[in-house]
Amino acid sequence: MTTQTDRMNVKGAVSAQVNAAFAEVKALYQQLHQMPELPFQEYKTSARLAESLEALGYTVTRNVGGTGVVALLRNGEGPTVMLRGDMDALPIKEATGLDYASNETATAADGNEVPLMHACGHDLHSSCIVGTAAVMVGLTAQWSGTLMLICQPAEEIFGGAKAMLADGLYERFPRPDIILGQHNMPARAGTIGHRANSTMAACTNLAVTIHGAGGHGSMPAQTVDPVVIAAHVVTRLQSIVSREVPPEETVVVTVGKLHAGTQANIIPHTAELEINIRSFDNTLHRQVVASIERIIRAECDAGRAPKPPAFQVLNETIALHNDPMAVEHVRSAHAEHFGDTNLFDMPRLNGSEDFPFLGNAEAGGFGGDDIPYVYWFIGATPAERWAETPGTSVSQKMRHLEMPHSPYYFPGNDITLRTGMEAMATAALAYLA
């Protein structure tokens, strides 16, 4: 039976190990922040993380699913607990003004040179993986089992989790009993948000090419104008949410890109669209994607398009549904360590993650039963800034704060970094101790 004294001893031991490792982890974080890399190009990042984990005594395998890293610490009999952190950055020019701000650039898939920034905090997440690794090494007398750490590439394009799974993540390494992950967000630093069941949205990014028959702008009757067809498509797609989706469901259909033509007096041969679809139900999500394709085909027929439209799924992921029993187990561990006043009920987010592929046997393609997972959120806004921000709830205050993917977003303050290490370690110990 676990006593209050036992729990206090674990809390004190975790905090002591975090204190001992913190200076090196902070230095690692600042180094990673200065060298962001695009999805599947995380060569320097993955090498640096692998070196850190090897130095701690972990058995490390590199280049899993491309640039992914898997580290194992076997410590006797017991369950296998997997902790996941992501590594990739974004094509954004940093404007934080930090002394260690990124000045890096890279060549994107289209051949253009782009600026790079860790604008989503993946450098924080991977630093917390290394920090947690150090904490758990220092506490091996207090737990038993296998700790499995993964540093995952390409989360931003929903590619890294499936790439690691396809490369034998659960065949080459132990199949975990529980998967744990976290993400920073603009809540008060030092707090943690939990949510059971439906937590983050499924997402599909769909590219569409509408074909026309171009010609002179003065003779539209001699052409098939794909711009007019595209304009009808953009308008008609909005009827899916208002007329095909039940009112109690949340679905977003956004046309984020519409490109056609070169100048005013030329009717182009094609129009190109990119459409973003988000929902919280995987079955409904597939229905919405099918409706989009149906409407686009119908509008192309109505507009006399010479050939059918072309569709390409750029990337997609499934909805994130946290296991409710596992959430309660992890939340209780976090409450013991941080106190209930530093926990909050996480609102459902329309943002998306490829993390759920790691637990969904069918979607992840690894067979067998699903693996339970918990994905929580750590606050990244300093207390003074949080206090002066309008609103009373997390959702209200978030409307006034920089969000991930902003050139001004910076989650890597000391409190958030420390919280991320402690949150992962205490959650892991909840299953291993």
Side-chain angles (χ1 to χ4, degrees):
M1 179 177 179
T2 301
T3 67
Q4 180 68 21
T5 300
D6 293 331
R7 291 191 290 268
M8 293 300 294
N9 287 341
V10 170
K11 177 179 178 179
V14 169
S15 298
Q17 292 297 326
V18 169
N19 289 339
F22 187 76
E24 288 190 21
V25 175
K26 181 177 179 179
L28 171 65
Y29 165 74
Q30 293 184 357
Q31 182 182 11
L32 296 180
H33 190 83
Q34 286 184 299
M35 59 180 204
E37 295 173 293
L38 290 174
F40 289 124
Q41 297 182 24
E42 309 95 339
Y43 306 112
K44 293 183 292 183
T45 302
S46 61
R48 181 68 182 86
L49 293 168
E51 291 167 3
S52 296
L53 292 166
E54 284 171 341
L56 290 167
Y58 284 72
T59 301
V60 175
T61 304
R62 308 179 188 216
N63 304 319
V64 180
T67 51
V69 176
V70 178
L72 293 175
L73 184 63
R74 301 179 188 273
N75 189 36
E77 296 297 321
T80 296
V81 174
M82 189 172 92
L83 309 183
R84 177 269 204 173
D86 39 21
M87 302 185 291
D88 53 326
L90 290 156
I92 294 174
K93 176 65 176 176
E94 183 164 356
T96 61
L98 293 168
D99 292 339
Y100 50 92
S102 167
N103 292 308
E104 295 291 311
T105 61
T107 302
D110 60 5
N112 292 320
E113 187 176 21
V114 294
L116 296 177
M117 177 189 175
H118 268 298
C120 203
H122 294 186
D123 49 348
L124 176 77
H125 302 161
S126 50
S127 297
C128 287
I129 287 287
V130 173
T132 303
V135 171
M136 297 299 286
V137 164
L139 297 176
T140 50
Q142 300 191 32
W143 62 273
S144 179
T146 298
L147 187 63
M148 178 176 172
L149 311 177
I150 69 168
C151 301
Q152 181 206 298
E155 185 280 328
E156 294 292 355
I157 59 171
F158 307 142
K162 294 192 79 173
M164 294 187 78
L165 288 166
D167 199 14
L169 182 63
Y170 297 155
E171 291 81 39
R172 297 166 59 188
F173 309 98
R175 184 185 177 110
D177 297 292
I178 183 71
I179 305 170
L180 306 174
Q182 63 185 6
H183 202 292
N184 68 90
M185 65 169 290
R188 178 172 62 82
T191 62
I192 303 177
H194 302 88
R195 184 181 181 89
N197 297 310
S198 177
T199 302
M200 298 184 76
C203 176
T204 299
N205 289 308
L206 182 68
V208 181
T209 299
I210 293 173
H211 298 282
H216 202 288
S218 66
M219 297 180 285
Q222 311 306 315
T223 72
V224 174
D225 192 342
V227 178
V228 173
I229 298 173
H232 283 290
V233 165
V234 172
T235 302
R236 183 63 181 263
L237 289 182
Q238 303 311 307
S239 69
I240 295 174
V241 175
S242 65
R243 290 296 177 267
E244 297 187 33
V245 174
E248 66 274 12
E249 298 288 348
T250 299
V251 172
V252 173
V253 176
T254 297
V255 179
K257 173 183 174 181
L258 173 54
H259 179 265
T262 56
Q263 65 183 49
N265 64 344
I266 302 173
I267 293 173
H269 281 285
T270 61
E272 298 176 350
L273 299 87
E274 289 187 10
I275 305 167
N276 179 257
I277 307 105
R278 296 180 190 266
S279 70
F280 292 97
D281 181 275
N282 292 322
T283 301
L284 176 62
H285 192 86
R286 290 190 291 269
Q287 293 172 1
V288 171
V289 173
S291 293
I292 289 170
E293 294 182 359
R294 182 197 77 235
I295 286 172
I296 292 174
R297 289 192 182 95
E299 290 292 352
C300 287
D301 286 343
R304 300 180 297 116
K307 59 181 179 178
F311 299 95
Q312 179 189 1
V313 175
L314 300 175
N315 49 63
E316 62 183 346
T317 189
I318 58 175
L320 191 155
H321 289 266
N322 275 324
D323 182 87
M325 291 182 63
V327 167
E328 183 56 35
H329 191 61
V330 169
R331 191 192 183 284
S332 295
H334 286 164
E336 288 283 352
H337 186 85
F338 296 98
D340 277 314
T341 57
N342 288 314
L343 306 185
F344 63 91
D345 293 329
M346 184 67 198
R348 195 165 67 167
L349 289 182
N350 248 356
S352 304
E353 253 277 1
D354 68 350
F355 178 83
F357 284 126
L358 298 169
N360 188 303
E362 180 180 1
F366 52 85
D369 295 332
D370 291 346
I371 303 171
Y373 60 76
V374 184
Y375 194 77
W376 64 85
F377 299 83
I378 54 173
T381 304
E384 183 178 345
R385 177 80 189 283
W386 185 255
E388 67 188 21
T389 300
T392 56
S393 68
V394 172
S395 296
Q396 290 170 348
K397 285 179 177 285
M398 280 173 57
R399 298 174 189 149
H400 303 280
L401 294 166
E402 296 83 8
M403 296 291 289
H405 295 210
S406 162
Y408 300 99
Y409 187 63
F410 165 60
N413 61 78
D414 287 4
I415 295 176
T416 300
L417 183 56
R418 186 181 297 273
T419 301
M421 294 167 62
E422 294 181 357
M424 280 212 146
T426 53
L429 288 168
Y431 288 94
L432 294 169

